Amino acid sequence: DTGVSQDPRHKITKRGQNVTFRCDPISEHNRLYWYRQTLGQGPEFLTYFQNEAQLEKSRLLSDRFSAERPKGSFSTLEIQRTEQGDSAMYLCASSRSGTGGRLAGANVLTFGAGSRLTVL
Amino acid sequence: GQQLNQSPQSMFIQEGEDVSMNCTSSSIFNTWLWYKQDPGEGPVLLIALYKAGELTSNGRLTAQFGITRKDSFLNISASIPSDVGIYFCAGHTQGAQKLVFGQGTRLTINP
């Protein structure tokens, strides 16, 4: 397993354009998370999936943002009509769900390298 | 917004020195995780803590889950140049599935 993969690593776009990011999680992980990180800040939660179900969305996820995980494997995050304030690093993470503590590695998130978005 | 207060925000130390940083919250946490992030990369897990009072080591790193479940600390002993980076505490509050992050501690090491 190569860990969590994100594509593209960098995206520069003009304001008003749509962008899509893809995340491939660790294969045995059933949970997938999207976070946003701006310069000098910690990652902020956007949304998460358990299998194909989107179970929680942050208020940060405006109507212009949509995330999907159609087959419970890879996920996409689309931003429509991008704004300069959308410029950030978009991080994807995956984990196993449930209890079990340390031995199960439950709820320990493994992050990808991120997709950096610059909106001009 | 963020529920975790991490301090200090930045540290400038000499190689070989020990480092200590901590994280506090007004909420009770069920897990505490410490991550390190290098420029342009995603956070990498260092230590995971699951029980109040737990003290766990990973090489030169030691972390503790506070007994009140509202704080955690991370110590790095005998720092080396590759310890440079940003360290984040993170945790799950009761009943929550999302991981909440602190603002980070930026560590700089003078050779």
Side-chain angles (χ1 to χ4, degrees), chain A residues 9 31 33 35 37 42-43 45 48 56 101-102 106-109 111-113, chain B residues 2 35 37 40-43 45 48 50 54 56 88 92 97-99 101-102:
Chain A
R9 291 292 312 275
R31 283 192 178 161
Y33 303 78
Y35 281 77
Q37 186 177 27
F45 171 80
Y48 92 95
E56 187 174 349
R102 179 183 308 283
N107 292 331
V108 172
L109 274 62
F111 282 85
Chain B
Q2 300 284 3
Y35 286 84
Q37 187 174 30
E41 300 294 327
L45 181 71
Y50 291 92
E54 180 181 353
T56 297
F88 290 100
H92 293 94
Q97 302 304 327
K98 65 183 181 186
L99 193 59
F101 281 79

PDB file of all heavy atoms in Angstrom, chain A residues 9 31 33 35 37 42-43 45 48 56 101-102 106-109 111-113, chain B residues 2 35 37 40-43 45 48 50 54 56 88 92 97-99 101-102:
ATOM      1  N   ARG A   9      -1.155  17.695  -7.119  1.00  0.00           N
ATOM      2  CA  ARG A   9      -0.468  18.251  -5.961  1.00  0.00           C
ATOM      3  C   ARG A   9      -0.583  19.769  -5.941  1.00  0.00           C
ATOM      4  O   ARG A   9      -0.613  20.386  -4.876  1.00  0.00           O
ATOM      5  CB  ARG A   9       1.008  17.856  -5.974  1.00  0.00           C
ATOM      6  CG  ARG A   9       1.272  16.371  -5.717  1.00  0.00           C
ATOM      7  CD  ARG A   9       0.932  15.947  -4.283  1.00  0.00           C
ATOM      8  NE  ARG A   9       1.493  16.845  -3.297  1.00  0.00           N
ATOM      9  CZ  ARG A   9       2.726  16.765  -2.815  1.00  0.00           C
ATOM     10  NH1 ARG A   9       3.533  15.819  -3.247  1.00  0.00           N
ATOM     11  NH2 ARG A   9       3.155  17.632  -1.895  1.00  0.00           N
ATOM     12  N   ARG A  31     -13.031   4.954   6.279  1.00  0.00           N
ATOM     13  CA  ARG A  31     -13.363   6.363   6.460  1.00  0.00           C
ATOM     14  C   ARG A  31     -12.416   7.244   5.662  1.00  0.00           C
ATOM     15  O   ARG A  31     -11.213   6.972   5.577  1.00  0.00           O
ATOM     16  CB  ARG A  31     -13.298   6.750   7.937  1.00  0.00           C
ATOM     17  CG  ARG A  31     -14.500   6.263   8.703  1.00  0.00           C
ATOM     18  CD  ARG A  31     -14.577   6.873  10.070  1.00  0.00           C
ATOM     19  NE  ARG A  31     -15.781   6.410  10.761  1.00  0.00           N
ATOM     20  CZ  ARG A  31     -15.960   6.459  12.064  1.00  0.00           C
ATOM     21  NH1 ARG A  31     -15.006   6.960  12.830  1.00  0.00           N
ATOM     22  NH2 ARG A  31     -17.079   6.034  12.610  1.00  0.00           N
ATOM     23  N   TYR A  33     -11.606  11.507   4.916  1.00  0.00           N
ATOM     24  CA  TYR A  33     -11.835  12.860   5.418  1.00  0.00           C
ATOM     25  C   TYR A  33     -11.223  13.879   4.451  1.00  0.00           C
ATOM     26  O   TYR A  33     -10.182  13.633   3.845  1.00  0.00           O
ATOM     27  CB  TYR A  33     -11.142  13.059   6.774  1.00  0.00           C
ATOM     28  CG  TYR A  33     -11.535  12.088   7.849  1.00  0.00           C
ATOM     29  CD1 TYR A  33     -11.023  10.798   7.870  1.00  0.00           C
ATOM     30  CD2 TYR A  33     -12.393  12.466   8.871  1.00  0.00           C
ATOM     31  CE1 TYR A  33     -11.369   9.899   8.871  1.00  0.00           C
ATOM     32  CE2 TYR A  33     -12.745  11.579   9.888  1.00  0.00           C
ATOM     33  CZ  TYR A  33     -12.223  10.302   9.875  1.00  0.00           C
ATOM     34  OH  TYR A  33     -12.569   9.426  10.873  1.00  0.00           O
ATOM     35  N   TYR A  35      -9.879  17.915   4.665  1.00  0.00           N
ATOM     36  CA  TYR A  35      -9.540  19.049   5.506  1.00  0.00           C
ATOM     37  C   TYR A  35      -9.009  20.173   4.624  1.00  0.00           C
ATOM     38  O   TYR A  35      -8.489  19.936   3.532  1.00  0.00           O
ATOM     39  CB  TYR A  35      -8.438  18.675   6.523  1.00  0.00           C
ATOM     40  CG  TYR A  35      -8.927  17.918   7.729  1.00  0.00           C
ATOM     41  CD1 TYR A  35      -9.233  16.563   7.644  1.00  0.00           C
ATOM     42  CD2 TYR A  35      -9.079  18.554   8.952  1.00  0.00           C
ATOM     43  CE1 TYR A  35      -9.685  15.870   8.758  1.00  0.00           C
ATOM     44  CE2 TYR A  35      -9.519  17.868  10.076  1.00  0.00           C
ATOM     45  CZ  TYR A  35      -9.828  16.527   9.969  1.00  0.00           C
ATOM     46  OH  TYR A  35     -10.274  15.843  11.074  1.00  0.00           O
ATOM     47  N   GLN A  37      -6.368  23.586   4.885  1.00  0.00           N
ATOM     48  CA  GLN A  37      -5.342  24.211   5.712  1.00  0.00           C
ATOM     49  C   GLN A  37      -4.843  25.477   5.040  1.00  0.00           C
ATOM     50  O   GLN A  37      -4.360  25.436   3.907  1.00  0.00           O
ATOM     51  CB  GLN A  37      -4.171  23.245   5.950  1.00  0.00           C
ATOM     52  CG  GLN A  37      -3.133  23.788   6.919  1.00  0.00           C
ATOM     53  CD  GLN A  37      -2.025  22.796   7.185  1.00  0.00           C
ATOM     54  OE1 GLN A  37      -1.715  21.945   6.350  1.00  0.00           O
ATOM     55  NE2 GLN A  37      -1.415  22.873   8.361  1.00  0.00           N
ATOM     56  N   GLY A  42      -3.719  25.262  11.612  1.00  0.00           N
ATOM     57  CA  GLY A  42      -3.867  23.822  11.590  1.00  0.00           C
ATOM     58  C   GLY A  42      -4.948  23.411  10.607  1.00  0.00           C
ATOM     59  O   GLY A  42      -5.759  24.241  10.185  1.00  0.00           O
ATOM     60  N   PRO A  43      -4.965  22.151  10.211  1.00  0.00           N
ATOM     61  CA  PRO A  43      -6.017  21.685   9.302  1.00  0.00           C
ATOM     62  C   PRO A  43      -7.402  21.874   9.911  1.00  0.00           C
ATOM     63  O   PRO A  43      -7.596  21.664  11.113  1.00  0.00           O
ATOM     64  CB  PRO A  43      -5.684  20.199   9.128  1.00  0.00           C
ATOM     65  CG  PRO A  43      -4.228  20.089   9.441  1.00  0.00           C
ATOM     66  CD  PRO A  43      -3.981  21.097  10.510  1.00  0.00           C
ATOM     67  N   PHE A  45     -11.465  20.769   9.546  1.00  0.00           N
ATOM     68  CA  PHE A  45     -12.326  19.710   9.028  1.00  0.00           C
ATOM     69  C   PHE A  45     -13.344  20.268   8.039  1.00  0.00           C
ATOM     70  O   PHE A  45     -13.964  21.315   8.287  1.00  0.00           O
ATOM     71  CB  PHE A  45     -13.054  19.051  10.200  1.00  0.00           C
ATOM     72  CG  PHE A  45     -14.130  18.085   9.809  1.00  0.00           C
ATOM     73  CD1 PHE A  45     -13.812  16.791   9.424  1.00  0.00           C
ATOM     74  CD2 PHE A  45     -15.466  18.467   9.837  1.00  0.00           C
ATOM     75  CE1 PHE A  45     -14.811  15.887   9.077  1.00  0.00           C
ATOM     76  CE2 PHE A  45     -16.473  17.576   9.494  1.00  0.00           C
ATOM     77  CZ  PHE A  45     -16.139  16.289   9.112  1.00  0.00           C
ATOM     78  N   TYR A  48     -16.524  14.185   6.071  1.00  0.00           N
ATOM     79  CA  TYR A  48     -15.989  12.835   6.072  1.00  0.00           C
ATOM     80  C   TYR A  48     -17.032  11.838   5.586  1.00  0.00           C
ATOM     81  O   TYR A  48     -18.241  12.087   5.660  1.00  0.00           O
ATOM     82  CB  TYR A  48     -15.403  12.444   7.431  1.00  0.00           C
ATOM     83  CG  TYR A  48     -16.330  11.741   8.399  1.00  0.00           C
ATOM     84  CD1 TYR A  48     -16.365  10.349   8.474  1.00  0.00           C
ATOM     85  CD2 TYR A  48     -17.120  12.464   9.286  1.00  0.00           C
ATOM     86  CE1 TYR A  48     -17.185   9.699   9.391  1.00  0.00           C
ATOM     87  CE2 TYR A  48     -17.939  11.825  10.199  1.00  0.00           C
ATOM     88  CZ  TYR A  48     -17.970  10.447  10.253  1.00  0.00           C
ATOM     89  OH  TYR A  48     -18.783   9.811  11.161  1.00  0.00           O
ATOM     90  N   GLU A  56     -20.841  13.681   7.773  1.00  0.00           N
ATOM     91  CA  GLU A  56     -20.763  14.975   8.444  1.00  0.00           C
ATOM     92  C   GLU A  56     -20.152  15.999   7.517  1.00  0.00           C
ATOM     93  O   GLU A  56     -19.211  15.690   6.773  1.00  0.00           O
ATOM     94  CB  GLU A  56     -19.934  14.877   9.729  1.00  0.00           C
ATOM     95  CG  GLU A  56     -19.955  16.153  10.569  1.00  0.00           C
ATOM     96  CD  GLU A  56     -19.248  16.000  11.911  1.00  0.00           C
ATOM     97  OE1 GLU A  56     -18.925  14.851  12.297  1.00  0.00           O
ATOM     98  OE2 GLU A  56     -19.007  17.038  12.560  1.00  0.00           O
ATOM     99  N   GLY A 101      -9.305   0.951  20.069  1.00  0.00           N
ATOM    100  CA  GLY A 101      -8.151   1.644  20.609  1.00  0.00           C
ATOM    101  C   GLY A 101      -6.885   1.436  19.822  1.00  0.00           C
ATOM    102  O   GLY A 101      -6.889   1.322  18.603  1.00  0.00           O
ATOM    103  N   ARG A 102      -5.772   1.333  20.534  1.00  0.00           N
ATOM    104  CA  ARG A 102      -4.454   1.343  19.923  1.00  0.00           C
ATOM    105  C   ARG A 102      -4.265   0.180  18.960  1.00  0.00           C
ATOM    106  O   ARG A 102      -3.775   0.342  17.861  1.00  0.00           O
ATOM    107  CB  ARG A 102      -3.390   1.271  21.019  1.00  0.00           C
ATOM    108  CG  ARG A 102      -1.970   1.256  20.472  1.00  0.00           C
ATOM    109  CD  ARG A 102      -0.995   1.111  21.608  1.00  0.00           C
ATOM    110  NE  ARG A 102      -1.251   2.114  22.632  1.00  0.00           N
ATOM    111  CZ  ARG A 102      -0.907   3.380  22.525  1.00  0.00           C
ATOM    112  NH1 ARG A 102      -0.311   3.806  21.450  1.00  0.00           N
ATOM    113  NH2 ARG A 102      -1.178   4.228  23.502  1.00  0.00           N
ATOM    114  N   ALA A 106      -7.849   2.500  15.471  1.00  0.00           N
ATOM    115  CA  ALA A 106      -9.105   3.164  15.167  1.00  0.00           C
ATOM    116  C   ALA A 106      -8.961   4.670  15.280  1.00  0.00           C
ATOM    117  O   ALA A 106      -8.336   5.176  16.203  1.00  0.00           O
ATOM    118  CB  ALA A 106     -10.186   2.676  16.127  1.00  0.00           C
ATOM    119  N   ASN A 107      -9.571   5.359  14.307  1.00  0.00           N
ATOM    120  CA  ASN A 107      -9.633   6.822  14.333  1.00  0.00           C
ATOM    121  C   ASN A 107      -8.281   7.497  14.230  1.00  0.00           C
ATOM    122  O   ASN A 107      -8.170   8.690  14.491  1.00  0.00           O
ATOM    123  CB  ASN A 107     -10.366   7.316  15.583  1.00  0.00           C
ATOM    124  CG  ASN A 107     -11.842   6.965  15.544  1.00  0.00           C
ATOM    125  OD1 ASN A 107     -12.431   6.859  14.470  1.00  0.00           O
ATOM    126  ND2 ASN A 107     -12.419   6.758  16.700  1.00  0.00           N
ATOM    127  N   VAL A 108      -7.243   6.789  13.887  1.00  0.00           N
ATOM    128  CA  VAL A 108      -5.955   7.414  13.604  1.00  0.00           C
ATOM    129  C   VAL A 108      -5.946   7.777  12.133  1.00  0.00           C
ATOM    130  O   VAL A 108      -6.019   6.898  11.276  1.00  0.00           O
ATOM    131  CB  VAL A 108      -4.788   6.478  13.943  1.00  0.00           C
ATOM    132  CG1 VAL A 108      -3.480   7.084  13.449  1.00  0.00           C
ATOM    133  CG2 VAL A 108      -4.735   6.231  15.439  1.00  0.00           C
ATOM    134  N   LEU A 109      -5.895   9.062  11.831  1.00  0.00           N
ATOM    135  CA  LEU A 109      -5.953   9.521  10.453  1.00  0.00           C
ATOM    136  C   LEU A 109      -4.579   9.518   9.810  1.00  0.00           C
ATOM    137  O   LEU A 109      -3.618  10.037  10.390  1.00  0.00           O
ATOM    138  CB  LEU A 109      -6.527  10.941  10.394  1.00  0.00           C
ATOM    139  CG  LEU A 109      -8.058  11.072  10.341  1.00  0.00           C
ATOM    140  CD1 LEU A 109      -8.706  10.503  11.587  1.00  0.00           C
ATOM    141  CD2 LEU A 109      -8.461  12.509  10.110  1.00  0.00           C
ATOM    142  N   PHE A 111      -2.733  10.978   6.559  1.00  0.00           N
ATOM    143  CA  PHE A 111      -2.947  12.054   5.603  1.00  0.00           C
ATOM    144  C   PHE A 111      -2.171  11.830   4.315  1.00  0.00           C
ATOM    145  O   PHE A 111      -1.097  11.225   4.307  1.00  0.00           O
ATOM    146  CB  PHE A 111      -2.514  13.396   6.201  1.00  0.00           C
ATOM    147  CG  PHE A 111      -3.497  13.972   7.164  1.00  0.00           C
ATOM    148  CD1 PHE A 111      -3.476  13.586   8.494  1.00  0.00           C
ATOM    149  CD2 PHE A 111      -4.459  14.882   6.752  1.00  0.00           C
ATOM    150  CE1 PHE A 111      -4.399  14.094   9.397  1.00  0.00           C
ATOM    151  CE2 PHE A 111      -5.378  15.408   7.640  1.00  0.00           C
ATOM    152  CZ  PHE A 111      -5.347  15.009   8.973  1.00  0.00           C
ATOM    153  N   GLY A 112      -2.732  12.375   3.230  1.00  0.00           N
ATOM    154  CA  GLY A 112      -1.997  12.479   1.989  1.00  0.00           C
ATOM    155  C   GLY A 112      -1.119  13.720   2.009  1.00  0.00           C
ATOM    156  O   GLY A 112      -1.100  14.480   2.981  1.00  0.00           O
ATOM    157  N   ALA A 113      -0.393  13.927   0.901  1.00  0.00           N
ATOM    158  CA  ALA A 113       0.530  15.053   0.814  1.00  0.00           C
ATOM    159  C   ALA A 113      -0.183  16.371   0.528  1.00  0.00           C
ATOM    160  O   ALA A 113       0.424  17.437   0.631  1.00  0.00           O
ATOM    161  CB  ALA A 113       1.573  14.788  -0.258  1.00  0.00           C
TER     162      ALA A 113
ATOM    163  N   GLN B   2     -11.284  26.461  16.079  1.00  0.00           N
ATOM    164  CA  GLN B   2     -10.430  25.505  16.767  1.00  0.00           C
ATOM    165  C   GLN B   2     -10.807  25.413  18.235  1.00  0.00           C
ATOM    166  O   GLN B   2     -11.121  26.399  18.871  1.00  0.00           O
ATOM    167  CB  GLN B   2      -8.954  25.938  16.646  1.00  0.00           C
ATOM    168  CG  GLN B   2      -8.447  26.043  15.236  1.00  0.00           C
ATOM    169  CD  GLN B   2      -8.177  24.690  14.616  1.00  0.00           C
ATOM    170  OE1 GLN B   2      -8.422  23.656  15.224  1.00  0.00           O
ATOM    171  NE2 GLN B   2      -7.694  24.678  13.399  1.00  0.00           N
ATOM    172  N   TYR B  35       1.053  15.144  15.496  1.00  0.00           N
ATOM    173  CA  TYR B  35       1.503  15.042  14.115  1.00  0.00           C
ATOM    174  C   TYR B  35       2.641  16.026  13.874  1.00  0.00           C
ATOM    175  O   TYR B  35       2.737  17.060  14.536  1.00  0.00           O
ATOM    176  CB  TYR B  35       0.377  15.400  13.137  1.00  0.00           C
ATOM    177  CG  TYR B  35      -0.715  14.372  12.980  1.00  0.00           C
ATOM    178  CD1 TYR B  35      -1.790  14.317  13.865  1.00  0.00           C
ATOM    179  CD2 TYR B  35      -0.693  13.465  11.921  1.00  0.00           C
ATOM    180  CE1 TYR B  35      -2.810  13.380  13.705  1.00  0.00           C
ATOM    181  CE2 TYR B  35      -1.705  12.531  11.743  1.00  0.00           C
ATOM    182  CZ  TYR B  35      -2.759  12.500  12.640  1.00  0.00           C
ATOM    183  OH  TYR B  35      -3.767  11.572  12.470  1.00  0.00           O
ATOM    184  N   GLN B  37       4.421  18.149  10.536  1.00  0.00           N
ATOM    185  CA  GLN B  37       4.212  18.511   9.145  1.00  0.00           C
ATOM    186  C   GLN B  37       5.430  19.245   8.608  1.00  0.00           C
ATOM    187  O   GLN B  37       5.878  20.236   9.189  1.00  0.00           O
ATOM    188  CB  GLN B  37       2.966  19.381   8.984  1.00  0.00           C
ATOM    189  CG  GLN B  37       2.592  19.662   7.539  1.00  0.00           C
ATOM    190  CD  GLN B  37       1.272  20.409   7.420  1.00  0.00           C
ATOM    191  OE1 GLN B  37       0.895  21.175   8.297  1.00  0.00           O
ATOM    192  NE2 GLN B  37       0.538  20.190   6.328  1.00  0.00           N
ATOM    193  N   GLY B  40       4.976  21.831   2.540  1.00  0.00           N
ATOM    194  CA  GLY B  40       4.450  21.255   1.319  1.00  0.00           C
ATOM    195  C   GLY B  40       3.987  19.825   1.422  1.00  0.00           C
ATOM    196  O   GLY B  40       3.683  19.198   0.398  1.00  0.00           O
ATOM    197  N   GLU B  41       3.943  19.286   2.630  1.00  0.00           N
ATOM    198  CA  GLU B  41       3.524  17.901   2.826  1.00  0.00           C
ATOM    199  C   GLU B  41       2.347  17.827   3.791  1.00  0.00           C
ATOM    200  O   GLU B  41       2.017  18.803   4.462  1.00  0.00           O
ATOM    201  CB  GLU B  41       4.685  17.069   3.373  1.00  0.00           C
ATOM    202  CG  GLU B  41       5.907  17.020   2.481  1.00  0.00           C
ATOM    203  CD  GLU B  41       5.639  16.304   1.174  1.00  0.00           C
ATOM    204  OE1 GLU B  41       4.824  15.361   1.161  1.00  0.00           O
ATOM    205  OE2 GLU B  41       6.251  16.698   0.145  1.00  0.00           O
ATOM    206  N   GLY B  42       1.725  16.648   3.856  1.00  0.00           N
ATOM    207  CA  GLY B  42       0.661  16.452   4.819  1.00  0.00           C
ATOM    208  C   GLY B  42       1.209  16.099   6.185  1.00  0.00           C
ATOM    209  O   GLY B  42       2.380  15.720   6.323  1.00  0.00           O
ATOM    210  N   PRO B  43       0.392  16.214   7.236  1.00  0.00           N
ATOM    211  CA  PRO B  43       0.844  15.839   8.584  1.00  0.00           C
ATOM    212  C   PRO B  43       1.134  14.345   8.665  1.00  0.00           C
ATOM    213  O   PRO B  43       0.426  13.531   8.071  1.00  0.00           O
ATOM    214  CB  PRO B  43      -0.351  16.206   9.463  1.00  0.00           C
ATOM    215  CG  PRO B  43      -1.171  17.157   8.657  1.00  0.00           C
ATOM    216  CD  PRO B  43      -0.968  16.758   7.242  1.00  0.00           C
ATOM    217  N   LEU B  45       1.740  11.187  11.424  1.00  0.00           N
ATOM    218  CA  LEU B  45       1.490  10.824  12.812  1.00  0.00           C
ATOM    219  C   LEU B  45       2.788  10.484  13.544  1.00  0.00           C
ATOM    220  O   LEU B  45       3.627   9.733  13.048  1.00  0.00           O
ATOM    221  CB  LEU B  45       0.548   9.623  12.871  1.00  0.00           C
ATOM    222  CG  LEU B  45       0.187   9.157  14.285  1.00  0.00           C
ATOM    223  CD1 LEU B  45      -0.738  10.168  14.955  1.00  0.00           C
ATOM    224  CD2 LEU B  45      -0.462   7.775  14.250  1.00  0.00           C
ATOM    225  N   ALA B  48       0.034   8.386  19.152  1.00  0.00           N
ATOM    226  CA  ALA B  48      -1.405   8.359  19.430  1.00  0.00           C
ATOM    227  C   ALA B  48      -1.617   7.951  20.884  1.00  0.00           C
ATOM    228  O   ALA B  48      -0.978   7.010  21.367  1.00  0.00           O
ATOM    229  CB  ALA B  48      -2.113   7.380  18.502  1.00  0.00           C
ATOM    230  N   TYR B  50      -4.605   7.093  23.915  1.00  0.00           N
ATOM    231  CA  TYR B  50      -5.994   6.654  23.982  1.00  0.00           C
ATOM    232  C   TYR B  50      -6.614   6.705  25.372  1.00  0.00           C
ATOM    233  O   TYR B  50      -7.825   6.550  25.504  1.00  0.00           O
ATOM    234  CB  TYR B  50      -6.104   5.218  23.462  1.00  0.00           C
ATOM    235  CG  TYR B  50      -5.863   5.087  21.984  1.00  0.00           C
ATOM    236  CD1 TYR B  50      -4.600   4.814  21.487  1.00  0.00           C
ATOM    237  CD2 TYR B  50      -6.904   5.246  21.073  1.00  0.00           C
ATOM    238  CE1 TYR B  50      -4.382   4.694  20.118  1.00  0.00           C
ATOM    239  CE2 TYR B  50      -6.695   5.124  19.704  1.00  0.00           C
ATOM    240  CZ  TYR B  50      -5.422   4.845  19.243  1.00  0.00           C
ATOM    241  OH  TYR B  50      -5.205   4.726  17.903  1.00  0.00           O
ATOM    242  N   GLU B  54      -2.034   8.199  30.145  1.00  0.00           N
ATOM    243  CA  GLU B  54      -1.126   7.392  29.324  1.00  0.00           C
ATOM    244  C   GLU B  54       0.115   8.188  28.946  1.00  0.00           C
ATOM    245  O   GLU B  54       0.035   9.340  28.562  1.00  0.00           O
ATOM    246  CB  GLU B  54      -1.859   6.936  28.066  1.00  0.00           C
ATOM    247  CG  GLU B  54      -1.039   6.090  27.113  1.00  0.00           C
ATOM    248  CD  GLU B  54      -1.839   5.694  25.871  1.00  0.00           C
ATOM    249  OE1 GLU B  54      -3.052   5.963  25.823  1.00  0.00           O
ATOM    250  OE2 GLU B  54      -1.236   5.129  24.950  1.00  0.00           O
ATOM    251  N   THR B  56       3.407   7.726  26.454  1.00  0.00           N
ATOM    252  CA  THR B  56       3.879   6.889  25.355  1.00  0.00           C
ATOM    253  C   THR B  56       5.106   7.506  24.712  1.00  0.00           C
ATOM    254  O   THR B  56       5.165   8.718  24.534  1.00  0.00           O
ATOM    255  CB  THR B  56       2.769   6.725  24.299  1.00  0.00           C
ATOM    256  OG1 THR B  56       1.663   6.048  24.899  1.00  0.00           O
ATOM    257  CG2 THR B  56       3.240   5.906  23.110  1.00  0.00           C
ATOM    258  N   PHE B  88       1.682  19.493  15.399  1.00  0.00           N
ATOM    259  CA  PHE B  88       0.267  19.720  15.694  1.00  0.00           C
ATOM    260  C   PHE B  88      -0.238  18.707  16.704  1.00  0.00           C
ATOM    261  O   PHE B  88       0.022  17.510  16.576  1.00  0.00           O
ATOM    262  CB  PHE B  88      -0.592  19.588  14.427  1.00  0.00           C
ATOM    263  CG  PHE B  88      -0.413  20.697  13.431  1.00  0.00           C
ATOM    264  CD1 PHE B  88       0.392  20.515  12.325  1.00  0.00           C
ATOM    265  CD2 PHE B  88      -1.042  21.912  13.612  1.00  0.00           C
ATOM    266  CE1 PHE B  88       0.561  21.539  11.396  1.00  0.00           C
ATOM    267  CE2 PHE B  88      -0.888  22.942  12.695  1.00  0.00           C
ATOM    268  CZ  PHE B  88      -0.080  22.746  11.588  1.00  0.00           C
ATOM    269  N   HIS B  92      -9.992  13.810  19.376  1.00  0.00           N
ATOM    270  CA  HIS B  92     -11.424  13.580  19.206  1.00  0.00           C
ATOM    271  C   HIS B  92     -12.117  13.889  20.521  1.00  0.00           C
ATOM    272  O   HIS B  92     -11.749  13.343  21.561  1.00  0.00           O
ATOM    273  CB  HIS B  92     -11.713  12.119  18.869  1.00  0.00           C
ATOM    274  CG  HIS B  92     -11.206  11.679  17.539  1.00  0.00           C
ATOM    275  ND1 HIS B  92      -9.986  11.067  17.369  1.00  0.00           N
ATOM    276  CD2 HIS B  92     -11.765  11.752  16.304  1.00  0.00           C
ATOM    277  CE1 HIS B  92      -9.818  10.777  16.090  1.00  0.00           C
ATOM    278  NE2 HIS B  92     -10.876  11.177  15.413  1.00  0.00           N
ATOM    279  N   GLN B  97     -16.529  12.239  15.476  1.00  0.00           N
ATOM    280  CA  GLN B  97     -15.708  11.436  14.574  1.00  0.00           C
ATOM    281  C   GLN B  97     -14.626  12.266  13.900  1.00  0.00           C
ATOM    282  O   GLN B  97     -13.681  11.723  13.361  1.00  0.00           O
ATOM    283  CB  GLN B  97     -16.604  10.784  13.510  1.00  0.00           C
ATOM    284  CG  GLN B  97     -17.706   9.900  14.084  1.00  0.00           C
ATOM    285  CD  GLN B  97     -17.145   8.813  14.989  1.00  0.00           C
ATOM    286  OE1 GLN B  97     -16.050   8.311  14.770  1.00  0.00           O
ATOM    287  NE2 GLN B  97     -17.895   8.469  16.027  1.00  0.00           N
ATOM    288  N   LYS B  98     -14.792  13.594  13.881  1.00  0.00           N
ATOM    289  CA  LYS B  98     -13.787  14.411  13.222  1.00  0.00           C
ATOM    290  C   LYS B  98     -12.645  14.694  14.180  1.00  0.00           C
ATOM    291  O   LYS B  98     -12.827  14.780  15.396  1.00  0.00           O
ATOM    292  CB  LYS B  98     -14.399  15.719  12.746  1.00  0.00           C
ATOM    293  CG  LYS B  98     -14.885  16.625  13.869  1.00  0.00           C
ATOM    294  CD  LYS B  98     -15.546  17.860  13.324  1.00  0.00           C
ATOM    295  CE  LYS B  98     -16.011  18.758  14.453  1.00  0.00           C
ATOM    296  NZ  LYS B  98     -16.792  19.913  13.960  1.00  0.00           N
ATOM    297  N   LEU B  99     -11.459  14.835  13.606  1.00  0.00           N
ATOM    298  CA  LEU B  99     -10.262  15.154  14.368  1.00  0.00           C
ATOM    299  C   LEU B  99     -10.090  16.671  14.367  1.00  0.00           C
ATOM    300  O   LEU B  99     -10.108  17.294  13.306  1.00  0.00           O
ATOM    301  CB  LEU B  99      -9.065  14.467  13.713  1.00  0.00           C
ATOM    302  CG  LEU B  99      -7.753  14.373  14.457  1.00  0.00           C
ATOM    303  CD1 LEU B  99      -7.924  13.622  15.763  1.00  0.00           C
ATOM    304  CD2 LEU B  99      -6.703  13.698  13.584  1.00  0.00           C
ATOM    305  N   PHE B 101      -7.741  20.014  15.282  1.00  0.00           N
ATOM    306  CA  PHE B 101      -6.323  20.322  15.364  1.00  0.00           C
ATOM    307  C   PHE B 101      -6.060  21.611  16.129  1.00  0.00           C
ATOM    308  O   PHE B 101      -6.872  22.549  16.113  1.00  0.00           O
ATOM    309  CB  PHE B 101      -5.731  20.488  13.957  1.00  0.00           C
ATOM    310  CG  PHE B 101      -5.436  19.197  13.270  1.00  0.00           C
ATOM    311  CD1 PHE B 101      -6.440  18.466  12.670  1.00  0.00           C
ATOM    312  CD2 PHE B 101      -4.141  18.704  13.233  1.00  0.00           C
ATOM    313  CE1 PHE B 101      -6.175  17.257  12.045  1.00  0.00           C
ATOM    314  CE2 PHE B 101      -3.859  17.496  12.595  1.00  0.00           C
ATOM    315  CZ  PHE B 101      -4.880  16.779  12.007  1.00  0.00           C
ATOM    316  N   GLY B 102      -4.896  21.658  16.776  1.00  0.00           N
ATOM    317  CA  GLY B 102      -4.388  22.895  17.326  1.00  0.00           C
ATOM    318  C   GLY B 102      -3.778  23.747  16.225  1.00  0.00           C
ATOM    319  O   GLY B 102      -3.741  23.353  15.052  1.00  0.00           O
TER     320      GLY B 102
END
